[in-house]
Amino acid sequence: MELRVIEITDEELRMEIAGEDHTFMNVLKGALLETAGVEAATYDMNPEQSGGQTEPILSVKTESGTDPLEAVADASRQVQDVADDFVAAFDDAAA
């Protein structure tokens, strides 16, 4: 996975997340939408409508005072926590 910030302001972020597909992007977008201070989160990976771009572009808009990079970091930790909880529950069920 490679990350490249395309554009950033105090309340908006556009970031390329190379090597990922809809599966990961939907999970990240969902976590972002549940993150405090996030007003909107979406991604685009349609090359026909994106001038040939094939890697996903994540777009995040936050409320005033919420750093969009910190919001992505918080959402990423939330995704990791859910994955860790699943592994623990799976291990318990398999035992």
Side-chain angles (χ1 to χ4, degrees):
M1 176 184 303
E2 293 182 36
L3 306 178
R4 180 176 65 92
V5 173
I6 297 169
E7 181 180 349
I8 188 165
T9 67
D10 289 343
E11 297 165 356
E12 294 187 36
L13 168 68
R14 291 186 65 235
M15 177 187 333
E16 180 180 67
I17 303 178
E20 295 304 324
D21 60 17
H22 289 289
T23 303
F24 177 76
M25 296 306 295
N26 274 316
V27 170
L28 181 58
K29 178 185 79 169
L32 276 161
L33 292 172
E34 295 176 3
T35 300
V38 173
E39 290 183 350
T42 189
Y43 71 92
D44 176 32
M45 55 191 307
N46 184 338
E48 292 179 13
Q49 296 177 355
S50 305
Q53 161 263 327
T54 58
E55 299 294 350
I57 304 292
L58 177 69
S59 299
V60 180
K61 180 165 178 28
T62 61
E63 298 171 354
S64 180
T66 301
D67 181 335
L69 282 174
E70 191 60 37
V72 172
D74 290 346
S76 298
R77 283 188 285 274
Q78 180 183 8
V79 169
Q80 183 64 53
D81 290 345
V82 169
D84 289 344
D85 290 347
F86 176 81
V87 168
F90 181 83
D91 288 344
D92 289 345

